[in-house]
Amino acid sequence: MAHVANATHNEDYLHHGKGLWSWMTTLDHKRIGLMYFLSILVFFFIGGIYALLIRTELIAPGSTIMGPDQYNKVMTYHGSIMVFMVIIPGIPAFLGNFLLPIMLGAKDVAFPRLNLASYYVFMLGAFISVTSLFTTGVDTGWTFYTPYSLQTKSGVILMVAGAFTMGMSSILTGLNFIVTVHRLRAPGMTMTRMPLMVWALYSTAILQVLATPVLGITLLLLIFERLFGVGIFDSTLGGDPVLFQHFFWFYSHPAVYIMILPAMGVISELIATFSRKTIFGYTAIAYSSLAIAVLSFFVWGHHLFVSGQSEWAGILFSFITMLVGVPTAIKMFNWVATMYRGSVKLDAPMLFAVGFMFLFLIGGLTGIMLATIALDVHLHDTYFVVAHFHYVMVGGTLMAFMGGIYYWFPKMFGKMVNEFPAKLSWFFIFLGFNVTFFPQFILGSLGMPRRYFDYLPEFTALNRISTVGSYLIATGFLIALGTIIHGLIAGRKATANPWGGKTLEWTIASPPIHDNFNKIPVITAGPYEYR
Amino acid sequence: MSIAKTASEHHHAHHFESPEKEFIASKEGVWLFLATEILMFGGLFVALTIFRGLYPEVFLKGATTVDWRMGALNTVVLIFSSLTMALGIHYFQKGDRQKAIISLAVTVLCGAVFMVVKYFEYSHKLHLGLAPAKFFTNPEMANIEHIKIYFGLYYTMTGLHGAHVLIGMGLISWILYRAIAKDEFGPKYFTPVEGVGLFWHIIDLIWIFLFPLFYLT
């Protein structure tokens, strides 16, 4: 047995073990990461089709390609798929799985079998969610607000059970990451020498572990409420539907930071590498991730400004929400300061990083606007909110996700993608994104409510622009898909460190060997020693 | 490779430096998992607090339908089972395999006693029609406003707790199987025993809160 192991010891992880079965039973964090990648791409494609259906319906007032009931379902599936199956697992489960152990100088995550199990739990949850399509479908929106989610005749139970199951997967991934960061750092890799991506994933993991169980119990209660009538969300039994909103957002607001923190980690890596400069304010960026994680637990009430919570609670939540702007701004300023007088190279990943900063700035600042109670009463449940969170989730997370894919693609597959189409995909995504969502700020401030399949005729022009923008985004993602597939098939061979990165993953072969490191490295300096 | 690992020759996973490091990491993982359990039940305790505050009389009336002696018996049984669980770990650490196995078997037995008592409590209540709202048929209680919330919470919380007892029993049985059939645990390797033990204690702890909140109003 021993000599066989030696023979394959230096083979890269993609060829260590052959056949589908070796992938499905793998305990290698890199392979599990890629399995997440493939699954998430499929879900992203489906969620994207739903997005296009929504925008196409809204190209003109009245019923265009579907009726109102159909629209409610399309909107629900777009939201649920994108949130639970794409953006939440996107960066942590895919990029995080691939990178976290390597960046720490470890051979694997702390619990490899648990890691594989969480992948299957995730897929099981996704499967259960999707089976709801074959019932009457779900039309509640992705937030499943009571009392409607208790009354509607649809597959709410299946969808919610799926989300519950995917939440378990998210908890297990987070748990695994925390222990890995605590216990598997290479000698000399102190906490303050960890790459900022790791800090971001670590903060995310804390949120995943501490917030998701509350969503779990909320969704479980919703299922029980529908099946047996527990009564706590049902006002006819003396329950309180607003309690559902409290419970739901106690998870789902931290979940917003589960979505954005890893993206910020990716951006920190990209900015440092493509500015060829030691990152400015390493400690500040690292601790601001933790600060965002801590604050995120105390801001959920800003979703309930108009739901009938007390004014004092509203004021407090408004204030704490605005505080989130501080650590976020710390990050932004530090990134800009890193670029200042750096040798900035606008390769495709860096274009996405710069695009992120531009879009996330708008998303973040409009978030502070919405945290202002007086303004929120006016803007609540309008397209202004839709535009705001798309600027954060898509403009933020997805831009970072794309930048991250292009950046680490050579490491994952040992091949390069072509620069030109990669940049072209950025151009279409970035342009299309602004064309789609900027008009929605205007629509929202003019009073167009969200989640309706119809609108007043005077909103037609802006909606039409928005719909055209969504086609541009779709074009951009299709170009990106083509670029990646072309890179996989015909990309030229990548060197170990094509971008001149300084973190540990660039010190090993592309693609890495099965064990990541032949010899565990000894760390003697910080992660971004450019000068 | 395929020879069963025994207590004396447990190999730690390749990505850990030493068995000690692996043990610490595993234990930390279990503690984090327990944190998620507390947060999950935490949501239910928050709901309970809110509705007790809103309708205190409902919880007074509701508590008259449960038998505190049954609850007390179950509390004693679970606390005793936590002792035997701890003893089980202790004896593995000392290398006294036989006593360890007996302790764990007693623990599973206590879990079973708990579930049997619970079964009698549930079936008695269901017999009286004191079921969750959709199946609630009890005529005497029906005129008390919001009384159904008490039973909704009662069944959800004790039911979820009972499910955890069952899972805990399953896990201890799995430990017993590994100890008896494969002789895996001893002074050098007892990580899974300790992890399952921690889980069992948290189940016990949650019951200690559930008992006074539902039975002793």
Side-chain angles (χ1 to χ4, degrees), chain A residues 463-479:
Chain A
N463 267 298
R464 199 153 281 178
I465 295 172
S466 183
T467 300
V468 170
S470 71
Y471 299 152
L472 291 175
I473 302 180
T475 313
F477 278 116
L478 286 177
I479 296 173

Side-chain angles (χ1 to χ4, degrees), chain A residues 349-365:
Chain A
M350 186 60 168
L351 282 178
F352 279 96
V354 176
F356 169 98
M357 289 166 72
F358 185 85
L359 300 178
F360 186 73
L361 184 67
I362 298 176
L365 289 177

